[in-house]
Amino acid sequence: MRIPVIVLCGFIGLTLSMVAAVSAQESPDVPVIGPSAPGGEAPPAVGTPTVPGARLDGVVVQGNQRVEPETVVSYMSIRQGDAFGVNDINESLKRLFATGLFADVAVRREGNFLIVQVVENPIINRIAFEGNLRVKDEQLQQIVQLRPRVVYTRTRVQSDVKRIIDAYRQSGRFGATVEPKIILLEQNRVDLVFEIDEGPLTEIKRISFIGNRRYSDRTLKSEIVTRESAWYRFFSPADTYDPDQLAFDQESLRRFYLKNGYADFRVLSAVAELTPDKDAFFITIAIEEGERYKFGKLDVISSIPNIEIEPLKDLVTVDEGDWYNAAELENTILKLTIAVGNLGYAFVDVRPNVERNRETSIIDITFEIKEGPRVFVERIDIGGNVRTLDRVIRREFRLVEGDAFNAAKLNRSRQRINNLGFFSRVDVTNEPSTSPDQTVVKVDVAEQSTGELGLGAGYSTAEGVLANLQMRERNLLGKGQDLRATISVSKIRQQFDLGFTEPYFLDRNLKAGIDLFHSASDNQYSSFSSTRTGGGLRLGYEINERWSQRLRYTIKQDVIENVPVTASLAIRQQEGTTLTSLVGQDLMYDLRDSSVKTRSGFFARFSTDYAGLGGDLHYVRGKISTGIYYPVTEEIVASLTMTGGIIQDLEDDGIRITDRYTLGGSTLRGFQPSGVGPRDLLTGDSLGGKQVYYGSLQFRFPIGLPDEFGITGVLFSEAGSLSDIDEETGEVYDIDDVLISNIVDEPSIRASWGVGIAWKSPVGPLSIDFAWPLKQEEFDKTEVFRLSFGTRF
């Protein structure tokens, strides 16, 4: 009897499948680890030609353990009653393999029946990672797509291997290798183990530039984020290769050259070569600088009626003959857009018409203002915020869906989101929508750590050795709430603070907060100790984009104690306990470009307090602070800040020494804390004052070190005065004609100048100042050197 080919092939396939199944069932109890894994693919079945009139009477499924026979049949392309042949069988075979459920499938025909023999892929029991130190198991579990109780296939495993390798490359480890292995278990289950060799950190050995004639390699390296490896960069990831970062560096170079007159600049290529041992990269950036251009004729024209051109020309930030600067060009466009928008034109298009003369290296610019297309915001898409809720970002927007698109409002929204301090990067762009009159605003952020938990230690010339325990979360539960608790201990001061702030109280633009505090200090500049305990409530709101106000209530108890008999009579008379119930407000006007790292702008703050809603003391207090910032150059920033304050008694209670103003130390460098103002010459005690003013002119500049050091130089000049007390001045004698006090109150101005450095170190801020008085009184206490250092570990 002749056996049909398809039956013979089916028989062979069935035999092999049964052998495999029996082998799996007879495996020893101790799991076998090996590189060979199930999940292979079988060749297509061989069938017989269609028999005329033959129709499928049924399908018999064999070898299945978990998958129901009806499920297997549902994946096939033929059904009971269909005419069938070799093509139909092969198509069904392909579909069954495509499900990923089976390691092997064989189909044979017996009469008008099909016998489907399957070997199921195993189920993953557990996924484990070995050898990973730099990347935690939790992170890897989020990277891979396979999960326990999911069908194992080789294709899926190889995809996850690639994902793990890609993750290590993004962290700078290009030598990482991953080998997947399985442990065979009973009931057709396996444990999947990814054995990882992380390899060394792939650093950047050298960065080279080709084609740069005007600027040196060192100058160009300072303009990009990527850095060559060095021993002092152990806290910075900038010396590890990142393709995205290299692409950003190319854009940074382009902006640098365009800002300095090179309008034809191009980056020809940026190549990163990996060494054979995969432990370092050599980066080569080829550029073409081109010629340097100057601005020629500058003009502003408008096709919008009833717009005066002359005032708009004053907004052009460059002059004829200046070196071409693309950044200033963009700044002028933004200013013109905002100015015309403020005139009531929501749809404004400002375009610079450029006429470039390559022979004379002159660029003429005509800013053309015309009504742009009427574009509305279709939607706002937010991405990159893993922890921060969408609404925290969305509520900072000055635009909402359906509003007329406005570039100025979009720029202000970017600034507000950046001022939150939750993100290391904020990109806000607009892209065309499917409709020509709509645009999609896209927000892409990169979250940064907003939590602090640690023990601090440091040294200050004012307080000596100090320790600090701080716990703070500035973005609590991703809702933008601020919770902080601080315990500080030094040679002369112990302090505890607890505060909570809800930035959008009752889902309105109201910033509400509560504070609790307790402090104890030994005043080394006046002969007394004091403790202060209390709490407060805060409620702030925005009046408009630039104006804001905060209302507050504070209740506190002050204790002046441990006053020696040798202390000033003015202090001995204030020994005891007082209760203060105080309401106050702060009115703020802010035009700064950034509240985090200010380079330009202006601010003013006016504060008033009234004490007398109950309690023992009755007084009013006012204080005003202003500051202006101006970028002298790209790297040098000048600032002028001024503060003045006055406090006035209302019911002859006298102003307590703990409520008075003090001057010196950080408020007037060159003088000790409380080194300026009324003083008892008999005891040397500082008594504070009821009127104060001081100001500081400061220049912040680089000192030639790499930017990632975070070290800047400071040149400053400061002046101020403190005066007016309740006590009698001059020599005071008792009834026995014994001198008991000799208070001086000289309201003359004091001045100083100095230099210093400020370092934003990885372990905390450090500042060193050297200051010398220019004008002082003979009883003032001076201080040339001042050091302040804190660390967090």
Side-chain angles (χ1 to χ4, degrees), residues 256-483:
F256 171 73
Y257 270 95
L258 291 178
K259 182 179 65 177
N260 288 280
Y262 294 88
D264 296 330
F265 172 80
R266 292 190 303 156
V267 177
L268 301 178
S269 64
V271 179
E273 297 179 277
L274 185 62
T275 58
D277 54 3
K278 296 183 178 181
D279 66 345
F281 274 98
F282 290 85
I283 296 178
T284 304
I285 301 176
I287 63 175
E288 183 180 303
E289 292 181 329
E291 296 299 322
R292 195 178 188 191
Y293 289 80
K294 287 186 175 182
F295 282 114
K297 296 180 180 179
L298 302 169
D299 196 10
V300 178
I301 61 175
S302 174
S303 61
I304 303 177
N306 302 323
I307 288 185
E308 296 185 20
I309 296 298
E310 291 305 318
L312 296 178
K313 290 183 177 180
D314 295 335
L315 299 177
V316 178
T317 60
V318 294
D319 297 317
E320 184 175 348
D322 290 349
W323 291 111
Y324 175 79
N325 188 328
E328 288 300 324
L329 204 63
E330 293 178 1
N331 191 27
T332 298
I333 293 172
L334 180 60
K335 286 187 174 182
L336 291 172
T337 303
I338 295 174
V340 178
N342 291 337
L343 296 175
Y345 296 91
F347 306 97
V348 179
D349 185 18
V350 179
R351 293 192 179 184
N353 297 325
V354 178
E355 293 185 12
R356 182 179 314 184
N357 190 324
R358 301 185 186 276
E359 295 180 358
T360 60
S361 298
I362 296 294
I363 295 180
D364 296 331
I365 305 289
T366 301
F367 297 95
E368 183 181 1
I369 304 173
K370 56 184 180 180
E371 268 196 286
R374 303 180 67 84
V375 178
F376 298 86
V377 178
E378 178 188 4
R379 67 178 188 276
I380 299 175
D381 294 338
I382 300 174
N385 53 318
V386 178
R387 182 164 170 267
T388 306
L389 300 180
D390 275 11
R391 60 184 174 89
V392 173
I393 300 174
R394 194 174 295 274
R395 65 195 182 194
E396 300 300 326
F397 260 88
R398 304 298 90 183
L399 292 168
V400 298
E401 285 87 347
D403 281 359
F405 177 76
N406 185 296
K409 290 184 177 181
L410 188 69
N411 185 63
R412 176 59 178 160
S413 300
R414 180 190 299 108
Q415 187 181 57
R416 288 175 61 91
I417 296 172
N418 196 52
N419 285 343
L420 289 174
F422 303 161
F423 312 107
S424 60
R425 175 179 53 80
V426 177
D427 294 327
V428 181
T429 58
N430 61 294
E431 299 180 358
S433 174
T434 54
S435 175
D437 63 343
Q438 291 184 325
T439 187
V440 176
V441 175
K442 289 187 175 293
V443 184
D444 185 27
V445 298
E447 291 185 321
Q448 63 183 3
S449 176
T450 57
E452 299 175 15
L453 173 61
L455 176 66
Y459 176 80
S460 168
T461 52
E463 300 188 25
V465 178
L466 54 91
N468 172 277
L469 175 64
Q470 177 172 325
M471 294 173 288
R472 185 180 184 187
E473 175 52 63
R474 294 181 291 110
N475 188 15
L476 185 66
L477 302 177
K479 298 179 179 180
Q481 298 167 336
D482 190 339
L483 177 65

Side-chain angles (χ1 to χ4, degrees), residues 513-682:
I514 183 172
D515 301 293
L516 301 174
F517 54 85
H518 174 78
S519 65
S521 61
D522 181 9
N523 195 316
Q524 61 179 339
Y525 304 104
S526 302
S527 302
F528 69 92
S529 298
S530 65
T531 60
R532 172 171 290 178
T533 305
L537 301 173
R538 295 174 276 112
L539 184 66
Y541 60 93
E542 289 186 350
I543 300 173
N544 55 37
E545 280 295 308
R546 299 302 181 183
W547 287 93
S548 62
Q549 188 175 35
R550 182 177 67 171
L551 309 176
R552 45 189 165 78
Y553 171 77
T554 304
I555 185 169
K556 60 182 180 177
Q557 177 180 275
D558 289 295
V559 180
I560 296 177
E561 55 188 353
N562 300 326
V563 181
V565 294
T566 57
S568 171
L569 177 63
I571 297 176
R572 296 202 306 269
Q573 291 174 341
Q574 294 197 13
E575 187 172 12
T577 301
T578 57
L579 180 67
T580 305
S581 177
L582 179 149
V583 293
Q585 68 84 36
D586 302 298
L587 185 63
M588 178 76 172
Y589 178 71
D590 195 348
L591 267 176
R592 292 175 294 176
D593 61 340
S594 171
S595 61
V596 180
K597 188 177 180 180
T598 307
R599 286 185 49 81
S600 64
F602 169 81
F603 80 89
R605 181 186 296 109
F606 177 61
S607 302
T608 54
D609 295 310
Y610 168 72
L613 295 179
D616 304 319
L617 302 179
H618 301 80
Y619 62 80
V620 291
R621 178 170 55 197
K623 188 176 182 180
I624 185 169
S625 301
T626 64
I628 185 170
Y629 299 83
Y630 179 77
V632 180
T633 67
E634 186 67 25
E635 298 179 327
I636 300 176
V637 177
S639 62
L640 175 64
T641 56
M642 296 174 288
T643 299
I646 186 170
I647 183 171
Q648 183 63 47
D649 181 27
L650 294 179
E651 295 188 3
D652 297 327
D653 298 322
I655 302 300
R656 303 277 288 180
I657 191 171
T658 51
D659 292 322
R660 296 174 183 173
Y661 296 110
T662 61
L663 186 61
S666 60
T667 54
L668 186 58
R669 285 170 284 190
F671 296 87
Q672 292 182 6
S674 300
V676 174
R679 185 178 303 275
D680 191 334
L681 298 182
L682 185 64

Side-chain angles (χ1 to χ4, degrees), residues 83-216:
F84 67 101
V86 62
N87 293 333
D88 303 300
I89 295 175
N90 282 336
E91 178 62 27
S92 295
L93 191 63
K94 292 177 182 178
R95 291 191 180 187
L96 289 173
F97 269 111
T99 64
L101 298 173
F102 310 108
D104 189 20
V105 180
V107 181
R108 72 178 187 276
R109 178 178 174 181
E110 291 185 1
N112 289 336
F113 284 86
L114 288 181
I115 309 300
V116 180
Q117 184 72 36
V118 298
V119 176
E120 294 179 354
N121 273 326
I123 293 293
I124 297 175
N125 177 64
R126 183 173 64 95
I127 298 177
F129 305 93
E130 294 181 357
N132 55 307
L133 299 176
R134 304 293 178 180
V135 183
K136 301 300 182 183
D137 285 5
E138 294 77 10
Q139 296 173 272
L140 292 174
Q141 287 169 357
Q142 293 179 353
I143 292 171
V144 299
Q145 291 189 349
L146 284 172
R147 295 288 183 268
R149 296 182 296 279
V150 171
V151 175
Y152 171 98
T153 66
R154 290 179 181 175
T155 302
R156 291 180 178 179
V157 171
Q158 292 304 318
S159 296
D160 281 345
V161 168
K162 184 178 183 303
R163 291 186 181 94
I164 296 174
I165 292 177
D166 288 344
Y168 272 97
R169 288 186 173 183
Q170 290 176 1
S171 64
R173 295 183 180 273
F174 282 76
T177 60
V178 180
E179 184 177 358
K181 293 186 177 181
I182 63 167
I183 302 175
L184 301 177
L185 304 175
E186 58 184 6
Q187 297 179 353
N188 200 23
R189 295 175 301 129
V190 295
D191 284 346
L192 176 59
V193 180
F194 291 98
E195 293 188 353
I196 301 172
D197 180 2
E198 295 181 325
L201 191 64
T202 311
E203 300 178 335
I204 298 174
K205 195 71 173 179
R206 187 175 68 242
I207 301 175
S208 303
F209 295 90
I210 299 175
N212 52 314
R213 294 176 289 110
R214 175 64 177 83
Y215 297 103
S216 65

Side-chain angles (χ1 to χ4, degrees), residues 23-36:
S23 298
Q25 294 295 328
E26 293 180 355
S27 60
D29 294 336
V30 180
V32 179
I33 300 179
S36 177

